[in-house]
Amino acid sequence: MDAAVWSHSENSTVCGAWGLRKAGDGQRWCGGAGACSFLIELVPSIMSNLLNPDAIFSNNEMSLSDIEIYGFDYDYTLVFYSKHLHTLIFNAARDLLINEHRYPVEIRKYEYDPNFAIRGLHYDVQRAVLMKIDAFHYIQLGTVYRGLSVVPDEEVIEMYEGSHVPLEQMSDFYGKSSHGHTMKQFMDIFSLPEMTLLSCVNEHFLKNNIDYEPVHLYKDVKDSIRDVHIKGIMYRAIEADIEKYICYAEQTRAVLAKLADHGKKMFLITNSPSSFVDKGMRYIVGKDWRDLFDVVIVQAEKPNFFNDKRRPFRKVNEKGVLLWDKIHKLQKGQIYKQGNLYEFLKLTGWRGSRVLYFGDHIYSDLADLTLKHGWRTGAIIPELRSELKIMNTEQYIQTMTWLQTLTGLLEQMQVHRDAESQLVLEEWKKERKEMREMTKSFFNAQFGSLFRTDQNPTYFLRRLSRFADIYMASLSCLLNYDVSHTFYPRRTPLQHELPAWSDRATTSRAPLLQEAQAK
């Protein structure tokens, strides 16, 4: 070898140039003077500077001192639900498939698994496979599932003639699968039971060699999930046992009270019905909850609310009856139904960057507001808190530190073309692949992190970065910041701004690891 001298003993392999030593019996590579000291010193320094799960993260510079009006979605923004809700939705939709769509009664044996799916996955409607796609439209191999079983990488590559999904096959602007599109992206938290039900029914048909049309299955499951909402099954169940389904949080009222005390105007725009919202808000905020809001709009039918100019507002009285009066002003303490954003803007005058709207659905809640209307947007991502806690564990930090180091070694040492060096490089590649799988399993055994594939941001994160000025795990994070706080996005280095790995001292790998964690 030119730069490195390899020597072997019975139980170890040593690279003299890099100070690297691999112990026998399948243990990992670790360094002598170089790599091991680097790992030993770096991990404690990261552990002393952990990520804050209650922080607000910024994609775009924004000062709260400029925000005069705060808007909110309801579900998974003002109110959070317990784990029982997804089980309820799954069971109700499963029963609708059996009772109304004549699906085999045997699918009732399948129960909801909260650990199966994650948000942001894509579903190939015609091939009946669920998968994770990165920001560059590449499928993450090892995350493609037909039913409840992973599809081998070789089959995926043959199926898609590689691992890239062309733009014309991706979802439309709102993550829906429409004519000419084969992919549906699941962006809503309510879609977790839908993905699981799709996979379970697919599994039943495959295991029992039942011939079926995947497009019909997708539509029937989608309609059943929709009917759980439209027919009021979910709403009635929650209203009947609020304590079981709603996670009571004093922080919601504290956030609203803080904003009201500082003279901020507030409004609510939700797709949920009036009585459902009223009972939920009475439970988490108090019977006087309407006093905190200047405008309340229910059954808004977002995202149509942001685009359809034809639907006027209707007032809802105390008994939930729709009134026929023409609306000349949106009054505090009243509840309105339907309407559209253009009429809303005309009646309130609340325009531009002085409005900040929070929602959990990146497409239906945030996209139009930031692209077409210039509002500032805040995404509520409940999964963020649990992922950050995982990223703060010593096991995760050690794994990521070595994975980053191993990647750098592969990049630098690939210039050595002799057989002995190539053998070591192949071992490193194998270990890197195993460690990537381990990293994925920290978050979700099937699909990994909501925000990352092996190396790249997910398609979900790409859309989050585009449509949300700030994002956080819950509204309670606002309590940690002053109402005049300015959020500054970190200037993370671009790829061409980073020196090559070989040109950097080993201790300078810390920012790269921190960058990976932050994303």
Side-chain angles (χ1 to χ4, degrees), residues 205-237:
F205 287 158
L206 292 168
K207 284 291 178 68
N208 293 278
N209 297 314
I210 299 174
D211 189 26
Y212 70 104
E213 172 53 62
V215 175
H216 296 334
L217 171 60
Y218 167 74
K219 183 179 184 303
D220 291 343
V221 170
K222 181 182 70 172
D223 290 347
S224 296
I225 293 287
R226 179 203 62 197
D227 287 346
V228 172
H229 295 263
I230 290 180
K231 293 183 176 181
I233 298 171
M234 183 189 81
Y235 300 131
R236 288 193 296 272

Side-chain angles (χ1 to χ4, degrees), residues 109-243:
K109 70 182 180 182
Y110 291 97
E111 297 180 351
Y112 179 64
D113 179 3
N115 299 314
F116 176 69
I118 62 171
R119 259 203 302 168
L121 299 179
H122 281 78
Y123 182 76
D124 190 320
V125 175
Q126 294 167 327
R127 295 186 175 97
V129 290
L130 189 65
M131 70 192 74
K132 186 177 176 184
I133 296 180
D134 73 11
F136 302 97
H137 295 196
Y138 281 92
I139 300 165
Q140 181 180 0
L141 297 178
T143 69
V144 181
Y145 276 74
R146 182 182 289 115
L148 301 175
S149 302
V150 67
V151 180
D153 294 349
E154 299 77 13
E155 186 177 342
V156 175
I157 291 171
E158 181 180 359
M159 193 186 310
Y160 291 95
E161 298 180 350
S163 59
H164 184 263
V165 180
L167 176 62
E168 60 269 17
Q169 294 182 23
M170 300 290 284
S171 305
D172 66 14
F173 184 75
Y174 293 108
K176 298 178 181 177
S177 178
S178 56
H179 180 70
H181 297 159
T182 62
M183 294 283 188
K184 151 74 179 179
Q185 188 180 19
F186 292 101
M187 299 294 278
D188 191 355
I189 298 178
F190 284 126
S191 66
L192 291 170
E194 182 176 358
M195 286 185 276
T196 307
L197 184 58
L198 267 172
S199 299
C200 287
V201 180
N202 273 316
E203 180 77 5
H204 177 77
F205 287 158
L206 292 168
K207 284 291 178 68
N208 293 278
N209 297 314
I210 299 174
D211 189 26
Y212 70 104
E213 172 53 62
V215 175
H216 296 334
L217 171 60
Y218 167 74
K219 183 179 184 303
D220 291 343
V221 170
K222 181 182 70 172
D223 290 347
S224 296
I225 293 287
R226 179 203 62 197
D227 287 346
V228 172
H229 295 263
I230 290 180
K231 293 183 176 181
I233 298 171
M234 183 189 81
Y235 300 131
R236 288 193 296 272
I238 294 174
E239 288 181 36
D241 197 348
I242 283 185
E243 292 185 1

Side-chain angles (χ1 to χ4, degrees), residues 47 88 95-96 121 131 192 212 286 346 363 475 515:
M47 291 295 295
L88 166 70
D95 292 345
L96 287 172
L121 299 179
M131 70 192 74
L192 291 170
Y212 70 104
K346 184 171 72 173
Y363 294 150
L475 282 177
E515 176 189 345

Side-chain angles (χ1 to χ4, degrees), residues 6-20:
W6 293 89
S7 63
H8 302 272
S9 65
E10 184 177 352
N11 295 316
S12 66
T13 305
V14 180
C15 171
W18 291 92
L20 293 169

Side-chain angles (χ1 to χ4, degrees), residues 128-397:
V129 290
L130 189 65
M131 70 192 74
K132 186 177 176 184
I133 296 180
D134 73 11
F136 302 97
H137 295 196
Y138 281 92
I139 300 165
Q140 181 180 0
L141 297 178
T143 69
V144 181
Y145 276 74
R146 182 182 289 115
L148 301 175
S149 302
V150 67
V151 180
D153 294 349
E154 299 77 13
E155 186 177 342
V156 175
I157 291 171
E158 181 180 359
M159 193 186 310
Y160 291 95
E161 298 180 350
S163 59
H164 184 263
V165 180
L167 176 62
E168 60 269 17
Q169 294 182 23
M170 300 290 284
S171 305
D172 66 14
F173 184 75
Y174 293 108
K176 298 178 181 177
S177 178
S178 56
H179 180 70
H181 297 159
T182 62
M183 294 283 188
K184 151 74 179 179
Q185 188 180 19
F186 292 101
M187 299 294 278
D188 191 355
I189 298 178
F190 284 126
S191 66
L192 291 170
E194 182 176 358
M195 286 185 276
T196 307
L197 184 58
L198 267 172
S199 299
C200 287
V201 180
N202 273 316
E203 180 77 5
H204 177 77
F205 287 158
L206 292 168
K207 284 291 178 68
N208 293 278
N209 297 314
I210 299 174
D211 189 26
Y212 70 104
E213 172 53 62
V215 175
H216 296 334
L217 171 60
Y218 167 74
K219 183 179 184 303
D220 291 343
V221 170
K222 181 182 70 172
D223 290 347
S224 296
I225 293 287
R226 179 203 62 197
D227 287 346
V228 172
H229 295 263
I230 290 180
K231 293 183 176 181
I233 298 171
M234 183 189 81
Y235 300 131
R236 288 193 296 272
I238 294 174
E239 288 181 36
D241 197 348
I242 283 185
E243 292 185 1
K244 177 179 179 180
Y245 292 107
I246 291 183
C247 298
Y248 178 70
E250 294 181 353
Q251 291 93 332
T252 299
R253 181 176 180 93
V255 169
L256 298 176
K258 177 181 178 179
L259 297 176
D261 289 345
H262 284 84
K264 306 297 182 181
K265 295 184 180 297
M266 289 180 283
F267 64 93
L268 170 64
I269 303 178
T270 175
N271 288 347
S272 293
S274 174
S275 62
F276 176 73
V277 173
D278 183 59
K279 289 185 178 179
M281 290 297 285
R282 284 172 178 266
Y283 179 70
I284 63 173
V285 175
K287 62 181 181 180
D288 61 340
W289 70 271
R290 284 197 225 172
D291 295 340
L292 294 169
F293 290 90
D294 295 272
V295 178
V296 176
I297 301 167
V298 299
Q299 292 178 277
E301 297 183 21
K302 295 177 293 181
N304 292 334
F305 180 86
F306 300 128
N307 298 288
D308 190 345
K309 299 181 180 181
R310 297 169 296 179
R311 301 182 311 152
F313 285 106
R314 297 193 71 171
K315 187 183 293 186
V316 182
N317 70 12
E318 293 295 330
K319 296 182 179 180
V321 177
L322 290 173
L323 306 180
W324 48 262
D325 310 54
K326 184 176 178 62
I327 306 300
H328 296 282
K329 181 180 180 182
L330 297 177
Q331 298 175 320
K332 187 170 184 175
Q334 299 296 321
I335 294 181
Y336 300 89
K337 179 182 176 181
Q338 297 178 350
N340 65 82
L341 184 63
Y342 299 92
E343 188 73 9
F344 177 88
L345 296 176
K346 184 171 72 173
L347 294 174
T348 63
W350 295 344
R351 300 177 182 275
S353 58
R354 62 195 181 113
V355 183
L356 171 59
Y357 184 79
F358 293 94
D360 70 289
H361 197 303
I362 297 171
Y363 294 150
S364 296
D365 285 327
L366 308 181
D368 285 308
L369 295 177
T370 185
L371 293 178
K372 298 180 181 180
H373 301 287
W375 285 11
R376 309 310 293 264
T377 53
I380 304 300
I381 313 294
E383 302 94 332
L384 182 62
R385 181 172 281 113
S386 60
E387 289 217 8
L388 288 173
K389 288 180 178 178
I390 291 169
M391 294 166 65
N392 281 339
T393 62
E394 186 172 1
Q395 184 183 14
Y396 178 85
I397 292 171

